[in-house]
Amino acid sequence: MARIVIRNGTVVTATDRIRADVYCEDGLVRAVAPDLEVPAGTAVLDATDQLVLPGGVDAHVHMELPFAGGVNADDFFTGTAAGLAGGTTTIVDFVHPERGQSLREAFRARREEAAKACADHAFHMAITWWSEAVRRELAEVVREDGVRSFKAYLAYRRTIGIDDEALLGVLDAARALDALVLAHCEHGAAVEWLQQRLLAEGKTGPEWHPVSRPSWLEGEATGRAIALARAAGAPLYVVHVTCREALDAIDRARREGQLVWAETCPHYLLLDDSVYRKPDFEAAAWVLSPPIRPRYHQEALWAALAAGLVHTVATDHCPFRQADQKTLGRGDFTRIPNGAAGIEHRLTLLYTYGVRTGRLTVEQLVDVCCTRPARLFGLYPRKGTIAVGSDADLVVWDPEQAGVVSATTHHHATDRSIFEGFALHGGPSHVLAAGRVVLARGELRAERGAGRYLGRAAG
Ligand code: URP
Ligand code: ZN
């Protein structure tokens, strides 16, 4: 029987901060109380002057994502290992069926790819095409495969995006199946039109990427997705919200009583569009969608996060190597693979620039990074909190740990960090996944294949 007790820490959940020990046995939290008596032989981890947080839940990541040039830089092992190094013990990734492919077949293939993960994982099902057969299969995906969230892309029309009519079908199916629809909101046709116009004018470098995807096209698509969700009577989760226009649409809908949830990412909170002015194709590292916005959107996002209008912070982790992957778009910015690494530094960036600056409480950090994503995606209370019966996914957090983000030291399998040089203040001294110590004072003990698939029960 594997036993460990974390002593003398301050246990933080989304609602409470208490001095308590946490006793874990066989991968589960068994007791949370001060001065616990534990069986002889129990391993002891001293957390004096440290916080004890629930393991992070990153509900938006892309490991081993196929793209025109192969597959992105982190596979399920390296990507989840980087997550563990930063205190994220659960991910929700995506199944992206080919158009015409059976959803369940794509799900089975994705599960095989994810078998090497060292952290627990679940999947959202991306709906890349729509038919009555897809609708029927979705019922099986929910019932048999434990997938309870569907992703719709309003961008990327030619590959994985769907039109409004299909989105209505997806929303309607989700409502009937008690599943949640995630929407990537950018006006796909307008983005493509702007891209072609820029290329025709000889504007081919990465600095044109943000020009082709302005915030008002995100605002338009967010408002449209919300309207379609309202028509279908379904709740909606808007992924990677970046801008004031989208926040306005979400705020309006919520004030009118609609269930709309919003996610943002550390890069939208912390970076501004000056990154696209970097010379020598370096700006390609920041080519991700939606793009990094002008600075005035940042304050609106922080305020929305603090006020509870933005509900989760995920990473959209999707790394590509600068050396041989981003370069596929030299001479045509539309061919630069979209995405960047982020999973390792989500908690520490939010702690450094959110909690330490007084923008967020540590309870709010736990809420947006752990509890709320677990609740929204059917993983709570197994994940996302510290309670008797929860998985022993725990982060012993040293508020004084100092560091600097660098691609030379991070665990992401890529040669760039979009946060290069960012100072960090606070980080995990130890991480437990299912009761096993997977990080101990900088030593990562990631075990290939130790992660479990998390089927999510019917709501
Ligand atoms: O640029 C991004 N976000 N890449 C990942 C795929 C997506 O759009 O979520
Ligand atoms: Zn994404």
Side-chain angles (χ1 to χ4, degrees), residues 46-315:
D46 182 29
T48 302
D49 296 331
Q50 301 193 63
L51 308 175
V52 184
L53 314 179
V57 178
D58 192 340
H60 186 163
V61 301
H62 304 272
M63 310 300 177
E64 286 182 61
L65 181 76
F67 76 110
V71 71
N72 73 356
D74 263 324
D75 68 18
F76 275 94
F77 176 63
T78 61
T80 51
L84 294 180
T88 287
T89 50
T90 300
I91 60 163
V92 192
D93 202 300
F94 296 83
V95 181
H96 284 106
E98 298 285 329
R99 286 183 175 158
Q101 187 188 15
S102 144
L103 309 187
R104 297 201 66 205
E105 180 186 291
F107 169 80
R108 283 190 289 272
R110 197 70 176 143
R111 273 207 64 183
E112 277 179 33
E113 285 167 357
K116 60 176 96 55
C118 52
D120 290 354
H121 47 276
F123 295 113
H124 310 291
M125 177 62 71
I127 310 299
T128 57
W129 64 296
W130 188 244
S131 70
E132 277 313 302
V134 171
R135 181 194 286 271
R136 278 193 299 277
E137 230 194 342
L138 272 180
E140 291 174 39
V141 162
V142 168
R143 202 175 50 238
E144 308 294 332
D145 301 329
V147 172
R148 304 201 58 81
S149 41
F150 312 146
K151 169 89 173 276
Y153 291 88
L154 280 69
Y156 310 130
R157 282 189 319 156
R158 290 175 203 283
T159 49
I160 51 177
I162 56 172
D163 64 17
D164 292 351
E165 196 180 342
L167 177 54
L168 276 166
V170 176
L171 287 159
D172 186 51
R175 181 194 45 74
L177 294 166
D178 195 19
L180 181 59
V181 175
L182 296 79
H184 172 134
C185 296
E186 291 181 290
H187 192 306
V191 167
E192 279 174 33
W193 192 86
L194 287 173
Q195 287 177 330
Q196 293 315 313
R197 196 176 69 178
L198 289 164
L199 291 177
E201 291 169 354
K203 296 170 175 166
T204 58
E207 65 276 22
W208 298 105
H209 171 73
V211 181
S212 71
R213 312 183 88 103
S215 59
W216 32 275
L217 288 183
E218 179 183 338
E220 184 280 339
T222 306
R224 182 157 39 98
I226 287 171
L228 298 181
R230 184 171 181 166
L236 184 73
Y237 178 96
V238 184
V239 297
H240 46 45
V241 172
T242 74
C243 62
R244 285 176 183 258
E245 293 91 330
L247 288 172
D248 287 347
I250 292 160
D251 187 29
R252 198 164 43 244
R254 288 185 66 88
R255 277 189 283 108
E256 288 174 7
Q258 220 181 316
L259 270 186
V260 180
W261 309 101
E263 166 198 285
T264 194
C265 309
H267 41 283
Y268 301 121
L269 291 163
L270 296 171
L271 302 174
D272 67 62
D273 61 349
S274 62
V275 295
Y276 297 114
R277 292 202 287 272
K278 292 182 190 290
D280 302 329
F281 202 66
E282 271 304 303
W286 287 267
V287 168
L288 42 82
S289 294
I292 307 295
R293 300 297 185 195
R295 185 174 290 276
Y296 67 92
H297 294 284
Q298 279 178 21
E299 283 312 316
L301 287 172
W302 279 111
L305 196 57
L309 180 63
V310 168
H311 307 90
T312 66
V313 176
T315 59

